[in-house]
Amino acid sequence: MKLRRLIGFNLLTAVILGVVGFYVGWWLGHLFDAASIDYFEDTGQNDIALFIAYFTGVVGFLVGLGFANYPVQRMLGKPSSLREKETRGAGRYFGLCTDHKVVGIQYLIGIGAFIFIGGLNAMLIRFELLTPTQHGWNANNYLTLVGLHGTMMMGMMTSGIIGPFANYLLPVMIGARRMAFPRIEALTFWLLMAAGVVLMTTIAFGGFPTGWTGYAPLNDQANMGMDAYIAFFALVGLSMSLLGLNMIATVITMRAPGLSWGRLPIFVWGVVSTSVLMLLAAPVLISVLLMVMLDRTAQTGFFNQAAGGSPYLYENLFWVFGHPEVYVLALPGMGILLEILPVFSRKPLWGYKLAVTGMLGIALLSFLVWQHHLFVSGINADLRPFYMLSTELISLPTGFIFVAALGTLWAGRIRLTVPMLFSLAWLFNFLVGGLSGVFLSDVPSDVTTHGSFFSMAHFHYTIMGGLLFAFFAGIYFWVPKMTGFQLNERWGKVHFWIMFVSFNSTFGPLLVIGFLGMPRRAVTYAGYLQGANTWVSVSAFVLGASMLIFLANFVYSLVFARVPAGSNPWASKSIEWQLPSPIPVHNFDRIPTFGDDPYPYGTDAGVAHRPAVAPARPTA
Amino acid sequence: MSLRSHGGRIGALTVIGTAIVLPLVIFVLGPNMPPGDWTNAGKSQVFDNTVLLAVMTPFTVFILVYIGYAVTMFRAKPDEELRDGPPIRGHFVSQVVWLVTTTAAVLFLAIFGSAELFASNGSGGGSGPNPIATPGGNVLPVQVIGQQWEFTYRYPTYGGVETAELMLPVNTEIEFHVTSLDAIHSFWAYQLGVKADANPGVDNIAFVKPTKVGAFQVRCAELCGIWHGYMFDTGHVVQSSQFASWIKQQRQAFSAVQRYLPKYATTYSPDPVARAG
Amino acid sequence: MKLVAVAGGVLVVAALIAAYVTFLTGGPTPYRVPQARAAGARSANLTLQTVAAVGSKLSPNKNWVSYLVREQGVWHRSTVWTLPANAVVHVTIFNYDGQSGLRNPFLAQPRGLLDGDTFAVDGKPMKVLDPDTASHTFAIPALGVIVPVLGIADDAKNQCEYAPCEESMAHETVTFSFRTGKPGHYRWQCFVPCAAGFIYGFGGPMQTIGYMDGFVNVV
């Protein structure tokens, strides 16, 4: 009976069909005669075959999972199969499942796995940078490592918080039983997983030398490994736009009665503002990648200066996507921060309207700043003051988020649990990250810091010190709700402190090293920076070790210890904590009605907690 | 303890903290900020960085003091019964004060940065083919050619001689013309405070006036392929007389190849297609 | 049971990481150039060959250009060499590849060599090569060494198709000497856009160690 279940539309079939699809595409691509496309013979690089192969491989993978079933069955007039609507069994987590909670957990594990791979690459990069002269890796492999680390992290972390946490919790937070488009939801997850595998295949094709930004014309010169990067980001872009679309549609159409926009939990606002960015920025990425693909295969000249094109076009198009992209990374972290602080300060969110304005302000302004990546690249000098102003202005809405966080702490009754520790660390890290960003936004200062490790440390402070710390805050906060089991608090604190100290010990000196003249992505550096780099590398190894501590805690607590968490271990007044852990399949017995206050702390003196909603009657 | 006195204490701590840190920032850290004061561009950047640090200091001190204070003073004792804090949802005056001070700081920095940029002729940054702020008087044009994976330099006013080393006369306004023959590179002369991207087909102009003699490091600051990390050089700022004799010697040394060099131009488009051998 | 599954998972992951790291460290093995002592000074002889197509026996990319080094009479595709410090290195390059032309003609004048920066092409000493006739260069920028290599004429008879090439086939010979200084680790590269089919001729073999790029370890 068990064996019977292996046949059908599931992950195993998907992998098989994916591989078969890849080879079919590869064969199709090789039908292009080498004689008719002369660069094939000289270079030995058949990019056309690889692109076709990636396409057919991913299509095969998705068909194998069962994504084509619904459209095909409806076209044939048959009722749709019920497999995807199964409500029990661990098998749901390994295939196409339209339960948003299952998709949330799939995201958590899937993204977690790829983040660990990206992190491993970071450890290998720092190993190389221990000294400027001893080399561990082949020189071209170093650039592939740098590119793989950045690309994997950027691609995965864009959905890093929305994927796991918004999928699991957003419908619950707005009183819905499902997302607006459940099947598309599942699709975004599996697209991302396929993308991750596609990116890793780059090492079989020679890697890619451009780093995550993929600048032309270097991306045109590169070997076939570059095609993996292009396919990866195209799939990620597609996943991002669909995810954003789904979130916005869900919040607009599926809110419970009484839940007006002004009563939404701040996390939902974070998701909405991020989703707007995802929906608008990702298509630009897909377009620019299409142009790169055409340059590489059909020998068009979009970015080739000798053929009449311009590398500037690439830089601009990429950063029109790239800048909103980094706010896609920052905003969900802000949402989690402001969601967690009220719980552990036992106070309502301070300055709710200000915080929402901040998030929307960041979203709007993020489209107006991208040329700050191009300050010294020879752009029209008249433009620079405008972009300096717009970039500096973006610190204002960011400041609103800070002041809302600080106000929430005011006169609170603060409990330093692990999620709270990560949230407070977010404030510190993002402060350093934001301030270093002010240096970078100022053109005279940017002349020295652009393209140096200062710039790299800035974005690691905001993306890793901000987003990743918020990610862990979310994990320690919500995993008890998602699984029903506690994560060990003591080991969580060990993880936190080692991670926080080693993180600052790694990236703080890098701010200085960048100012002292070390360019990014360089495999060797001036001798006087060796001591500092060795210190940074050792700190980075400790940082990596803290991740292993987390992983051990995670596996041990959830697989072996399995201490039940109860429905509300944090005594939160938010709706998801008034439900059992894990949340039952249908979320609520009856759709709840929401009161006018998402954070009713302090409104009943002396009472530990009362439901934030009335009159929901969730089942035990 | 009343909330007002908490506020007073935080305010006092912030003022004291700023009073201690700000002078250190302005007088100790500021003058030692990179990239140093060898050139007018460098001096402009150091001044700019000092102003940035000074403006950031009060806000940073306030936020750090606040967080430290809040986490210590507002902490619930570990074994006490769970109680809520007061339901404070906002405070109009605080929000307005925050909004006004941060907006003022940001606008000041934007205006100051722009003014500094114009006053220093781009602060050593690449300003494109038509920079708006240019130094008057005599300039020495020096072309920097980025190619995979080396920088070479041409001096148009010395017969278009091309050299592999960069030497500059001190106390002379230099007009760098940075361009590339292939991929995007970036000419970063650290101690000079100059950074200008080398884009193929683009003439990226940066101005600098070195005021001290010495050696400076030149590094490529834009990933350009396998040897990006190894694309570095050492340049020298020397006395004008030394420069004159050096350039004369370079013209003699490279007279053999001079006839093959293309005429000096601000951009080049060498034929990129390799013939299969 | 769970313990076994988790332990198994850990082992699988560890094995995958080990495989990944091993793959990354893979690369050409360094070749130590044999030293000699002549007239009290250290010297070494480096004999190289540049070919138009390296062939499937020596590489999965059979049409890529490449450098080869002669090690005890056998040609190897290896571009990481170990040279003695404070020594004079005499280099001979047999070039079997055609002319591609330099993108920057400035690089056609050799630098960093002994004998007043002269080099010999087919035995004739020269100060500069016509840049359009260059086929490859040998350059160690950190030591200031750069030498252009003359390409064979398009209509030369008996051209070599795939490496390794015989001396009887059409070729040009370039010889030069330079001095290594203190010990160090330097990269070397070709500067001619000889990677046919790649944009600007600088992709593929021009950006892969083992073909037109490598390291010189001076010890």
Side-chain angles (χ1 to χ4, degrees), chain A residues 247-248 251 261 264 267-277 360:
Chain A
M247 292 291 158
I248 296 176
V251 175
W261 287 91
L264 284 173
F267 178 69
V268 176
W269 275 110
V271 173
V272 167
S273 43
T274 310
S275 303
V276 168
L277 289 181
L360 294 176

Side-chain angles (χ1 to χ4, degrees), chain B residues 3-22:
Chain B
L3 291 182
R4 231 174 230 289
S5 55
H6 280 303
R9 282 161 130 209
I10 291 180
L13 282 170
T14 304
V15 168
I16 297 172
T18 308
I20 298 176
V21 174
L22 196 57

Side-chain angles (χ1 to χ4, degrees), chain B residues 147 149 162 181 227 253 274, chain C residues 103-104 106 109 111 187 193 213:
Chain B
Q147 62 226 283
W149 287 278
E162 188 160 350
L181 297 184
W227 297 123
Chain C
R103 288 179 65 82
N104 187 351
F106 174 66
Q109 176 164 345
R111 288 177 265 130
R187 54 118 180 178
D213 298 282

Side-chain angles (χ1 to χ4, degrees), chain A residues 42 135 139-140 143 209-211 215-218 221 305-306 311-312 315 345-352 354 375-379 381-382 384-385 388-389 392-393 395-396 399-400 402-403 406-407 409-416 424 427-428 431 435 438-439 442-452 514-526 528 571 573 597 599-604 606-608, chain B residues 3-4 6-7 10 33-35 44-45 48-49 52-53 56 60 62-64 66-67 70-71 74-76 80-91 94-95 98-99 102-103 106-107 109-110 112-114 116-118 122-132 148 182-184 186 188 190 193-197 199-202 204 217 219-230 232 268-269 272 276:
Chain A
D42 289 331
H135 294 291
N140 13 323
L143 287 181
T210 58
Y215 272 12
L218 188 58
Q221 277 181 349
Q305 186 265 336
Y312 274 134
E315 287 188 77
S345 310
R346 309 293 315 158
K347 281 188 59 253
L349 177 64
W350 192 92
Y352 177 92
L354 200 62
F375 274 150
V376 294
S377 61
I379 60 173
D382 292 321
R384 297 193 297 190
M388 178 165 21
L389 176 66
E392 304 234 13
L393 278 178
S395 56
L396 287 180
F400 296 169
F402 262 86
V403 79
L406 296 181
L409 291 174
W410 177 253
R413 311 204 61 80
I414 297 177
R415 292 178 288 156
L416 290 180
L424 292 172
L427 284 172
F428 177 80
L431 179 67
L435 293 176
V438 174
F439 276 95
D442 188 276
V443 182
S445 184
D446 188 55
V447 171
T448 289
T449 51
H450 168 79
S452 72
F515 249 131
L516 289 176
M518 183 168 170
R520 285 172 66 183
R521 301 163 164 164
V523 69
T524 185
Y525 49 85
Y528 65 88
K573 297 194 177 182
D597 186 356
Y599 302 101
Y601 298 96
T603 50
D604 250 358
V607 173
Chain B
L3 291 182
R4 231 174 230 289
H6 280 303
I10 291 180
M33 284 292 279
S44 149
Q45 288 177 33
D48 190 84
N49 284 330
L52 281 169
L53 278 174
M56 285 180 209
T60 314
F62 168 69
I63 293 177
L64 291 176
Y66 184 102
I67 296 178
V71 168
F74 297 134
R75 189 147 169 215
E80 87 174 10
E81 174 213 338
L82 192 64
R83 279 174 45 209
D84 285 359
I88 306 174
R89 289 170 208 287
H91 187 238
S94 303
Q95 294 179 357
W98 177 270
L99 181 60
T102 51
T103 308
V106 160
L107 287 177
L109 287 178
F112 168 75
S114 304
E116 188 60 40
L117 189 63
F118 289 128
S123 289
S127 305
N130 298 304
I132 14 182
Q148 286 173 308
D182 35 46
I184 302 180
S186 186
W188 184 13
Y190 175 69
V194 168
K195 183 180 287 143
D197 275 13
N199 263 285
V202 173
N204 198 358
Q217 68 165 348
R219 290 204 169 247
C220 178
E222 188 58 60
L223 180 54
C224 48
I226 186 177
W227 297 123
H228 162 69
Y230 283 90
F232 59 80
Y268 305 97
S269 292

Side-chain angles (χ1 to χ4, degrees), chain C residues 142-161:
Chain C
L143 293 178
V145 170
I146 176 160
V147 181
V149 174
L150 178 64
I152 62 177
D154 281 346
D155 56 359
K157 303 226 181 359
N158 193 11
Q159 296 188 18
C160 174
E161 202 189 353

